[in-house]
Structure formats: structure tokens, C-alpha cells
Amino acid sequence: MEDDDGSKSVFKSPEAGSPAGVSDRKKYSAVAPPSGQQQQNSNNSNNLTRRRTGSSNTPSSRPLAPTRIIYRETLGASSESDLDLPFWQRTWFIGLLLVMALSFFGLAIFLFLTLDSDYTSSPVYAATSEGVEITYGSVLKLMHEKTRFRLHSHDVPYGSGSGQQSVTGFPNVDDANSYWIVRPMPETSAKQGDSIKSGSIIRLQHMKTRKWLHSHLHASPISGNLEVSCFGDDGNSDTGDYWRLEIEGSGKAWRQDQRIRLKHVDTSGYLHSHDKKYSRIAGGQQEVCGVMEKRADNVWLAVEGVYLPVSGSK
């Protein structure tokens, strides 16, 4: 017999001993095989299920979240290990900066204490432009206008003449032995910070050796003019250390941009230099001497220096 859906039904006779009221018919349906389209869909579904199941187990398709978690945990472990370092290993750079700061502070104190006492009681400033007024107590270099050499001295005596400490002209700018302190005569009322007028008698003290620019009638080693030397000390000075300031032009007070001459009081010789140079003891340095004539080549200029400001009372 054929049912409505196309399947065939087979009826069987009731078996002996079957309970009453129960239908003896048993239906056996022979289901038709699926069509080609249905079978293909089923296979695709099964394959898709297998691929998803298989792909979920492959390591290459795992999400990136665990990698980020592991990275954070690694950083956390490193930070904790840093905290376990000794205190000095975590703060060594700060300690180094502290040691450097203390070293510079100590050096500043040392330089302050070793400066000349004249500069601890009043402010000073370096001359950075022309026109700065020069006062007593200022430290400066004098440059010979014609040769551009600086007035210089060092702890080397002359091999002839007086045998006192030699004075020369030095070619280089950056030399500490070319600094001179401008002082008044000891018996005057002039004091540190006072202006210096043309015609004033001054003394020049060599800053490094503390001796005074000096002259006398001994002959200079090269040219045979008046010898110029350094002599004495802080407590030992005489008239051989006196020089009269002559300012060229109309200026009344000594300023850095003014041309000057220095005339020795005892001998009346002008401080002079020329291009004749020493060859042995002071090789490359030129002779400084005194000449009796007032000439164009015995002019000097105040150049580098540390100048004290003019005091309130003039």
C-alpha cells in the first residue's frame, strides 16, 4: 500500500497471542534516499562543523589577548625586581650630582679665600667695553700701543745690571703674569675706588709676585737704556716705584680707552718697549726699558682687567 508521502506500507497479520484491542498492523516505512541538493547541503554543514571544531584547536588562530596579559605580567615582575634593589643602586645618580655640587662649592670657597683682600670688601666687574673708568685697586693689563705686547713680569732675575726680577713684553693675551694692581703712593689720602687724575703719581704692583714696577740708572740688557725691573714687596716700597700718569688728549680722569704715558719720577724716563726680543731666558718676549724722550712709541693702553667701581666720595 502506498501512503500519501510516497512511502510504501506493509501490513502484517496479527501474531498469535497478541492482546486484544491492540492493532495488529505495524507500519514499516521505507524512507526514500535524499535528493542530491539535500545531500550536498548536509555534507557542507558537516564539513563546516569539522573546520570550526578543528580551527579552534590550532595554535595559530588563538586570540592575542593572552599575549598581552603575559607582557603585562612580565613588566610587573621587572618593576617588583627593581624595588628589591638596594637603596644606593636606585639613587646613585642623585648621589653623584650631590658630590659634584659640593665639589664646585668647595672650589668657589677656595678661590674666594685666596683672592687678594682688596676684592673681598667691594664689588668688582670685568671691563667688557671701552670707556670704563680706572680706579685705585683695579687689576689690569697694559699694552704697548705700537707692538701690541703686554707689560709682563715673572720670577726670573736679570743676568746683568741690578739682578732684580725682570720685566718684559709678552705677546699672548691669556697670561696671568701680565696683571698689575694700581696703587696710590703710601703717604697720600687716596684710597681704593678713587678716580685717578692725569698727573697723579701711582705705583703698579705685580699681582703674581707682589713686587713693584721699578726703575733706576742700571742699563737695560738689550738696548742699554734705563733698566725696568720689579722690586720690593707688600711692605717694602721706595721712590723708585713711583710713576707719574700722563693722559694723552683732553681727558682728566684715567679711562680704559685713553692713551697714556708713564714717566718715572726718579729718572724722568718714560716706560718704553720695542721689537727687540730676548732669545734665551725669556725667548720670544721683548725688552721693556725706560727712555728719556717723550716719543710716539712709548704710549700704553689699559686693556683686559678687573676694575673697581668709583667710590661714592670723589
Side-chain angles (χ1 to χ4, degrees):
M1 184 177 177
E2 187 172 349
D3 292 335
D4 295 335
D5 56 356
S7 61
K8 293 183 180 180
S9 300
V10 179
F11 291 93
K12 218 176 161 186
S13 302
E15 296 181 357
S18 296
V22 177
S23 174
D24 294 330
R25 187 180 68 174
K26 291 184 179 178
K27 184 176 180 181
Y28 295 90
S29 299
V31 180
S35 62
Q37 181 68 28
Q38 293 175 347
Q39 186 174 3
Q40 184 177 359
N41 293 336
S42 175
N43 291 336
N44 290 339
S45 177
N46 292 335
N47 291 336
L48 182 58
T49 303
R50 292 192 190 96
R51 290 193 193 100
R52 289 176 179 171
T53 305
S55 62
S56 63
N57 296 328
T58 57
S60 61
S61 61
R62 290 179 182 174
L64 298 177
T67 303
R68 292 194 296 271
I69 294 173
I70 293 172
Y71 181 71
R72 294 193 189 99
E73 290 176 353
T74 303
L75 289 179
S78 176
S79 300
E80 291 176 358
S81 64
D82 290 343
L83 294 176
D84 293 337
L85 292 174
F87 177 78
W88 67 271
Q89 290 185 3
R90 288 184 279 120
T91 59
W92 67 271
F93 185 69
I94 298 176
L96 179 62
L97 292 179
L98 182 61
V99 170
M100 292 175 63
L102 292 175
S103 300
F104 282 117
F105 179 75
L107 179 62
I109 294 296
F110 173 76
L111 293 176
F112 177 79
L113 293 178
T114 54
L115 283 175
D116 190 87
S117 60
D118 292 340
Y119 309 107
T120 59
S121 58
S122 59
V124 296
Y125 59 93
T128 56
S129 60
E130 295 182 351
V132 176
E133 188 166 350
I134 298 171
T135 60
Y136 288 116
S138 297
V139 181
L140 52 80
K141 292 182 180 182
L142 287 176
M143 182 182 71
H144 186 239
E145 184 183 49
K146 183 176 181 180
T147 62
R148 317 298 288 181
F149 276 48
R150 269 79 174 163
L151 185 67
H152 177 90
S153 186
H154 39 236
D155 193 11
V156 177
Y158 284 122
S160 61
S162 69
Q164 296 175 359
Q165 181 173 300
S166 58
V167 174
T168 62
F170 197 79
N172 299 333
V173 176
D174 53 346
D175 187 85
N177 283 318
S178 300
Y179 282 110
W180 302 84
I181 307 171
V182 184
R183 306 284 195 192
M185 290 191 306
E187 62 269 16
T188 63
S189 60
K191 60 185 184 301
Q192 180 175 292
D194 286 352
S195 298
I196 305 173
K197 309 297 183 183
S198 182
S200 300
I201 296 176
I202 66 172
R203 296 178 298 164
L204 294 176
Q205 186 178 26
H206 189 243
M207 194 176 83
K208 194 73 173 289
T209 62
R210 315 302 294 181
K211 295 183 178 182
W212 305 95
L213 185 68
H214 186 88
S215 189
H216 36 227
L217 296 177
H218 290 282
S220 62
I222 296 178
S223 63
N225 291 311
L226 299 173
E227 181 189 87
V228 175
S229 63
C230 271
F231 179 75
D233 51 40
D234 287 317
N236 183 16
S237 178
D238 59 25
T239 58
D241 308 329
Y242 293 177
W243 300 82
R244 187 179 301 278
L245 175 69
E246 295 183 2
I247 299 175
E248 290 290 297
S250 59
K252 294 182 179 180
W254 188 11
R255 307 183 73 88
Q256 188 194 9
D257 57 349
Q258 290 173 322
R259 303 166 68 244
I260 66 162
R261 287 183 174 87
L262 293 176
K263 185 176 183 179
H264 191 248
V265 173
D266 282 356
T267 63
S268 298
Y270 286 93
L271 185 67
H272 177 74
S273 188
H274 47 73
D275 57 3
K276 294 181 175 63
K277 296 178 175 59
Y278 293 98
S279 58
R280 290 184 298 174
I281 297 178
Q285 301 177 34
Q286 66 189 24
E287 184 184 61
V288 171
C289 58
V291 294
M292 302 302 294
E293 303 87 9
K294 182 178 181 179
R295 304 184 337 206
D297 57 355
N298 50 30
V299 173
W300 298 80
L301 295 168
V303 282
E304 301 86 14
V306 179
Y307 300 100
L308 295 179
V310 178
S311 60
S313 60
K314 294 187 179 180

